[in-house]
Amino acid sequence: MITISGEGYDSFMCLLYCRIVEPLVHGDYPISMKTNAGARIPAFTNRESEQVKGSYGFIGIIHYNNANVTDNPNALKTELRDFNADMAAQLIRQRTGTNSSLQDVSRVKYLHGYIGGVLDALRDGSNIKGYFAWSFLDVFELLAGYKSSFGLYYVDRNDPELKRYPKLSAKWYSRFLKGSIELQKDASLVSVGHLFQ
């Protein structure tokens, strides 16, 4: 879930996704990216542009964290810039930590809102082939090891049997897949009381 505040969101989304998708779809980088990064972005030749344009067979997007994005136009004023500074946005990531609560209400609301958005896009004509919740179990993360807990099921690492416990989000997702959850337009209004039973 991205919390939007001002133009920072557009810059963030452009550099996060459009830097890859725009060349594949249109044969060139987004104008805002070329403007912000300047000469550090290599230009496509006409031949390269034609070769890359339409060269994809499938585009998948994976993300599994919340972020608050706000404007940070001062980042463009610094002489030495990187990917993050070129976004001209301040990004504050939020992740679920170790021993996360089994009552992960915020994740239920995230899944509800995100799946609802995917369904809306599908109904509006987007060619969507699927959605997968990340991840089924708490797993070893490349950068965070076992310090992060993204799974629908909590894994007790102190138990020699590595016992697994379903989080509230697992119960919600199961009911959604069985068709007993009706998606609401405003995910903040989602009721989860029935999942505690």
Side-chain angles (χ1 to χ4, degrees):
M1 177 175 66
I2 307 279
T3 302
I4 304 169
S5 176
E7 295 175 8
Y9 172 77
D10 293 331
S11 296
F12 166 74
M13 293 303 288
C14 181
L15 279 180
L16 190 62
Y17 297 115
C18 298
R19 66 190 170 114
I20 296 167
V21 175
E22 287 280 325
L24 293 173
V25 175
H26 302 291
D28 201 0
Y29 294 112
I31 292 171
S32 60
M33 183 177 168
K34 292 192 292 187
T35 301
N36 289 356
R40 291 180 290 125
I41 299 290
F44 286 104
T45 65
N46 287 339
R47 182 171 184 260
E48 289 169 337
S49 180
E50 288 304 315
Q51 284 179 319
V52 73
K53 184 177 177 180
S55 63
Y56 61 92
F58 170 81
I59 296 175
I61 298 173
I62 182 170
H63 55 89
Y64 50 96
N65 57 313
N66 294 342
N68 292 321
V69 181
T70 57
D71 292 335
N72 185 13
N74 291 331
L76 294 175
K77 297 175 184 173
T78 60
E79 191 173 322
L80 295 174
R81 293 199 316 260
D82 60 5
F83 171 81
N84 292 320
D86 285 343
M87 280 193 288
Q90 180 178 6
L91 176 65
I92 302 168
R93 292 188 172 110
Q94 301 168 346
R95 291 188 169 182
T96 307
T98 300
N99 297 325
S100 63
S101 170
L102 296 177
Q103 311 305 328
D104 56 347
V105 174
S106 63
R107 180 157 182 187
V108 169
K109 291 182 178 189
Y110 169 82
L111 287 169
H112 189 102
Y114 196 91
I115 292 171
V118 169
L119 183 59
D120 287 345
L122 184 64
R123 288 178 176 154
D124 288 343
S126 293
N127 184 14
I128 296 169
K129 299 297 183 186
Y131 172 82
F132 302 94
W134 183 263
S135 118
F136 175 66
L137 293 171
D138 287 347
V139 296
F140 182 82
E141 291 290 328
L142 181 62
L143 299 177
Y146 291 116
K147 292 179 183 176
S148 296
S149 177
F150 299 117
L152 296 172
Y153 284 77
Y154 171 74
V155 178
D156 185 354
R157 305 228 183 270
N158 295 320
D159 184 322
E161 302 283 322
L162 296 175
K163 186 159 174 62
R164 294 155 180 91
Y165 299 92
K167 296 178 186 176
L168 193 65
S169 55
K171 295 174 184 177
W172 181 92
Y173 198 52
S174 175
R175 290 187 182 183
F176 169 76
L177 293 175
K178 292 175 183 172
S180 61
I181 298 285
E182 186 175 325
L183 295 176
Q184 306 293 320
K185 282 289 183 189
D186 185 352
S188 68
L189 302 176
V190 172
S191 170
V192 295
H194 63 286
L195 297 174
F196 290 103
Q197 302 167 356

